[in-house]
């Protein structure tokens, strides 16, 4: 609960992921299935190259580092 959106945004940006254009807050959920004192956040990372179409593999290379940061620094659980 104590983790702010700004903390997450700054932490992800500090990784300086290649071609990251934006990090968007989508929603927050508290309720059934989420432990007391925790919240579920949905965020969207948008990647774009100014000079070409990107391939999925390029973003797939970046995402494990982002997920590792979120799990180690914020004790996040990645939910599908």
């Amino acid at each position: 609960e104590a983790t702010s959106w700004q903390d997450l945004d700054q932490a992800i940006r500090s990784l300086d992921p290649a071609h990251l254009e934006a990090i968007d807050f989508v929603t927050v959920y508290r309720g059934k299935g989420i432990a007391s004192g925790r919240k579920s956040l949905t965020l969207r990372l948008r990647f774009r190259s100014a000079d070409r179409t990107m391939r999925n593999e390029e973003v797939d290379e970046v995402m494990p580092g982002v997920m590792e940061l979120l799990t180690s620094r914020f004790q996040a659980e990645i939910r599908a």
Side-chain angles (χ1 to χ4, degrees), residues 7-60:
D7 294 337
L8 295 172
D9 183 82
Q10 288 177 349
I12 294 168
R13 289 181 191 283
S14 75
L15 294 175
D16 195 24
H19 303 289
L20 179 65
E21 181 180 64
I23 305 171
D24 299 319
F25 171 81
V26 178
T27 189
V28 63
Y29 171 76
R30 295 174 182 88
K32 187 175 180 180
I34 304 298
S36 177
R38 295 185 61 101
K39 58 188 170 188
S40 177
L41 295 174
T42 303
L43 50 120
R44 178 181 304 119
L45 279 65
R46 187 171 52 240
F47 296 86
R48 182 175 300 177
S49 174
D51 61 344
R52 63 186 171 78
T53 301
M54 293 183 65
R55 297 183 341 267
N56 292 348
E57 295 83 9
E58 293 175 278
V59 176
D60 290 346

Side-chain angles (χ1 to χ4, degrees), residues 2-13 69-70 73-74:
T3 302
S4 72
W5 169 248
Q6 182 178 13
D7 294 337
L8 295 172
D9 183 82
Q10 288 177 349
I12 294 168
R13 289 181 191 283
L69 169 79
L70 296 175
R73 184 166 170 190
F74 299 103

